[in-house]
Amino acid sequence: MRIPLVAGNWKMHTVRQEAITLAEAIARAVSGLSAAVEVTLCPPFVFLEPVRQALADTPVQLGAQNVHPEPEGAFTGEISVPMLASVGCRYVIVGHSERRQYFGETDAWIARKVRAVLQGGLRPILCVGERLEERQAGRARQVVQAQLEGALDGLSEEALPELVIAYEPVWAIGTGQNATPQQAQEMHGFIRSWMRARWGSKADSVRLLYGGSLKPDNAAALFRQPDVDGGLVGGASLKASSFLAIVEAAIGVSSQGGEA
Ligand code: PGA
């Protein structure tokens, strides 16, 4: 059984005290919930340490929004996997569409990051997803398949339990227009079958998150889909109440055993 994961991607939001207050509120509330879900917060790099302290002795885990594939070196301004591990990170978002779009990240570059994260003992949350014009042209699956092949080809099956994939259609990110549960399940099912073709039933251990305008009022219907194993939450992760409502939706669905 896959334990759902709800990850908050704070992007370039919050200043120090806001980050601490938000992390503390979430950590307090999650500590009182059942353990049927994993929760991780991905604050900006500069707040990893204070957020780690806010999460200490709670079940909420720490994640980063990005990483450089080399373990160290002359790469001014960059952050490595060993650095993230040393401040207590468990997860790292890799290949977010904003990194692909604004920072020119390619599939080959993202593949190096995925491997570096796994080699460093952390868990990558690999983001894939098509743009609106690609969906309208009927190319959504093709685009996602190319991203998966580019980032994961040759990955050994031993790494699969550590891997998380987030399907985030670009047209749904920050737009208020989420994918419907059917659209999400259709793509998640496709990703699952792509993985099964490579790794057989081992692929069933990989968690597939949905991301893109996930909100308290649409989370449960999305999480009820059989191949949606939680969510990557942007805007709604910046308020403790909305993020916690999404976490509770994941717990509610997982305790009911998913889609009837
Ligand atoms: P959103 O962002 O929830 O604000 O749409 C999701 C993401 O980019 O991870």
Side-chain angles (χ1 to χ4, degrees), residues 9 11 96 98 168 172-175 211-215 232-236:
N9 174 12
K11 307 193 180 182
H96 190 281
E98 288 151 15
E168 298 205 305
I173 296 177
T175 59
S213 297
L214 202 49
K215 299 277 183 299
L232 182 54
V233 191

Side-chain angles (χ1 to χ4, degrees), residues 22-145:
L22 181 57
E24 283 175 348
I26 291 168
R28 229 184 354 259
V30 171
S31 298
L33 298 172
S34 77
V37 67
E38 245 189 279
V39 178
T40 187
L41 302 182
C42 305
F45 284 137
V46 286
F47 305 135
L48 284 170
E49 179 59 25
V51 169
R52 182 189 69 77
Q53 287 170 26
L55 303 181
D57 304 320
T58 79
V60 182
Q61 309 203 61
L62 191 63
Q65 299 176 18
N66 186 29
V67 73
H68 190 280
E70 290 298 324
E72 63 179 2
F75 301 105
T76 302
E78 293 295 318
I79 304 286
S80 71
V81 173
M83 292 176 190
L84 296 178
S86 74
V87 292
C89 281
R90 186 83 187 90
Y91 288 92
V92 187
I93 298 171
V94 173
H96 190 281
S97 65
E98 288 151 15
R99 303 284 329 162
R100 295 174 189 260
Q101 186 177 350
Y102 305 131
F103 302 95
E105 294 201 5
T106 62
D107 287 323
W109 182 240
I110 292 163
R112 288 183 57 196
K113 295 186 182 202
V114 169
R115 277 160 184 71
V117 171
L118 289 166
Q119 273 160 18
L122 305 188
R123 295 176 168 169
I125 301 177
L126 169 69
C127 300
V128 298
E130 80 287 355
R131 296 162 189 253
L132 182 60
E133 59 274 22
E134 293 164 336
R135 174 161 283 264
Q136 285 169 339
R139 296 181 52 241
R141 283 184 174 201
Q142 209 180 311
V143 168
V144 168
Q145 180 169 339

Side-chain angles (χ1 to χ4, degrees), residues 121-206:
L122 305 188
R123 295 176 168 169
I125 301 177
L126 169 69
C127 300
V128 298
E130 80 287 355
R131 296 162 189 253
L132 182 60
E133 59 274 22
E134 293 164 336
R135 174 161 283 264
Q136 285 169 339
R139 296 181 52 241
R141 283 184 174 201
Q142 209 180 311
V143 168
V144 168
Q145 180 169 339
Q147 291 170 337
L148 293 169
E149 280 165 1
L152 299 178
D153 232 22
L155 195 77
S156 79
E157 63 181 34
E158 286 77 60
L160 294 178
E162 303 302 308
L163 175 68
V164 178
I165 297 176
Y167 169 57
E168 298 205 305
V170 178
W171 47 269
I173 296 177
T175 59
Q177 196 206 334
N178 60 286
T180 64
Q182 293 69 29
Q183 284 171 321
Q185 173 54 34
E186 201 229 323
M187 189 62 85
H188 284 224
F190 172 70
I191 295 171
R192 184 84 62 204
S193 38
W194 182 87
M195 292 193 299
R196 280 195 187 128
R198 256 142 215 84
W199 297 296
S201 59
K202 289 259 166 58
D204 292 356
S205 64
V206 178

